[in-house]
Amino acid sequence: MLNVSQISKTFNPGTVNEKRAIDSLSLRLAPGDFVTIIGSNGAGKSTLFNAVCGDFLTDTGSILLNGQDITFMPAFQRARHIGRLFQDPMRGSAPGMTIEENLALAAGSGGWLSHVSQRDKKRFRDRLALLDMGLEDRMKQPVGLLSGGQRQALTLLMATMNPPWLLLLDEHTAALDPGTAEKVLKLTREVVEEHKITTMMITHNMNQALELGNRTLMMDAGRIVLDVQGAERKSMTVSDLLKRFKAKVGEDLDNDRILLS
């Protein structure tokens, strides 16, 4: 499904601000993999997502998605097959447009937004009802009136309205209160399982990193330093994960946000 081969990226090369963000990184995802990713700030997690999405061209290496070489493909073309949610709930939807109009854009329903078909309206209502937030009765309201949790849940529906080949979740519950975050995570599990979407999720919560999905990666200095799955992952504790990180990197994980979560 996803084959990232020996990609590297250095920002501001040859200057005092030079930063090697991705260092000869390779990664293979099988169809239906749900991979959680953890690492300190600056480890390269979001930069990896940006590389896959085409926000910049890598200096070296190649990226294949579903057998198609997308290494030099523009970001807008990749977006047809890659869904992405960000930490900020305000991103990913148009606040001045209604819930119905946002969903119509995401679904690619065609025609004028003021003439959404009855069939699509029913489809949107049915999908919104799954959120259990009452949004199916507020389809004519502007998205800007929704809470952060409601907007993030809506964005998840938008990103999967036409199931993508790959779904990227960049700490998509980090800015939400615990109750809302749990509801969005539950919805995430259900949507991914329903459509069998290949997924990568960045998280700062080490328990989530071991409980969600079928595979856990740890990153450091632009490299994947740990990749656990199967029986090894099933029996692994947070303490085990920290010990394995120290054995690979040579030092303790130093990130209060991760350790306190």
Side-chain angles (χ1 to χ4, degrees):
M1 168 53 69
L2 178 67
N3 185 4
V4 177
S5 179
Q6 292 291 308
I7 64 168
S8 296
K9 181 64 181 179
T10 299
F11 294 103
N12 305 309
T15 73
V16 294
N17 295 318
E18 180 173 311
K19 167 68 175 177
R20 191 167 182 82
I22 297 289
D23 187 5
S24 299
L25 185 149
S26 293
L27 173 65
R28 284 178 178 266
L29 267 60
D33 268 351
F34 187 158
V35 179
T36 57
I37 305 175
I38 198 162
S40 300
N41 292 337
K45 307 180 300 296
S46 293
T47 308
L48 171 61
F49 278 17
N50 292 339
V52 172
C53 287
D55 291 351
F56 55 77
L57 295 179
T58 57
D59 299 330
T60 62
S62 62
I63 303 173
L64 275 67
L65 181 62
N66 206 21
Q68 182 177 0
D69 190 340
I70 63 170
T71 308
F72 300 104
M73 182 182 289
F76 75 91
Q77 291 184 358
R78 302 189 199 195
R80 298 170 185 169
H81 303 298
I82 300 175
R84 185 173 185 180
L85 269 72
F86 298 87
Q87 180 175 336
D88 184 356
M90 303 300 113
R91 300 179 66 175
S93 56
M97 299 172 65
T98 66
I99 295 173
E100 180 181 288
E101 289 170 339
N102 272 270
L103 288 170
L105 278 177
S109 301
W112 295 99
L113 292 178
S114 58
H115 292 88
V116 179
S117 70
Q118 290 300 316
R119 180 179 178 181
D120 280 336
K121 288 181 180 180
K122 182 181 184 306
R123 179 189 177 198
F124 298 160
R125 282 186 60 87
D126 290 344
R127 298 297 294 176
L128 287 168
L130 297 176
L131 303 181
D132 193 26
M133 292 179 173
L135 298 184
E136 66 273 18
D137 298 320
R138 300 170 60 185
M139 286 175 52
K140 295 298 184 181
Q141 285 194 355
V143 168
L145 297 180
L146 303 182
S147 68
Q150 289 170 332
R151 284 186 68 165
Q152 198 69 306
L154 175 64
T155 302
L156 179 60
L157 282 191
M158 291 171 62
T160 56
M161 183 64 66
N162 296 315
W165 291 348
L166 178 66
L167 179 62
L168 304 178
L169 306 172
D170 195 346
E171 295 197 73
H172 69 305
T173 63
L176 308 179
D177 65 82
T180 304
E182 187 57 38
K183 181 173 284 191
V184 172
L185 272 180
K186 179 176 180 292
L187 177 66
T188 301
R189 290 191 193 97
E190 292 170 351
V191 169
V192 168
E193 289 176 5
E194 177 188 358
H195 299 291
K196 296 179 172 56
I197 303 172
T198 305
T199 303
M200 291 198 291
M201 185 183 87
I202 297 171
T203 178
H204 65 273
N205 187 306
M206 298 191 75
N207 287 304
Q208 284 181 6
L210 289 173
E211 292 170 0
L212 290 172
N214 66 308
R215 187 173 169 191
T216 298
L217 306 179
M218 290 194 78
M219 293 187 64
D220 180 70
R223 299 171 291 119
I224 295 172
V225 296
L226 194 61
D227 183 351
V228 292
Q229 54 190 304
E232 179 188 22
R233 180 179 186 265
K234 196 169 184 179
S235 63
M236 183 170 281
T237 65
V238 170
S239 178
D240 294 333
L241 197 58
L242 290 171
K243 289 176 182 176
R244 289 286 302 277
F245 178 87
K246 183 176 182 179
K248 288 284 186 179
V249 177
E251 58 185 34
D252 290 320
L253 179 66
D254 183 18
N255 187 295
D256 289 345
R257 186 180 176 205
I258 293 176
L259 297 176
L260 293 175
S261 68

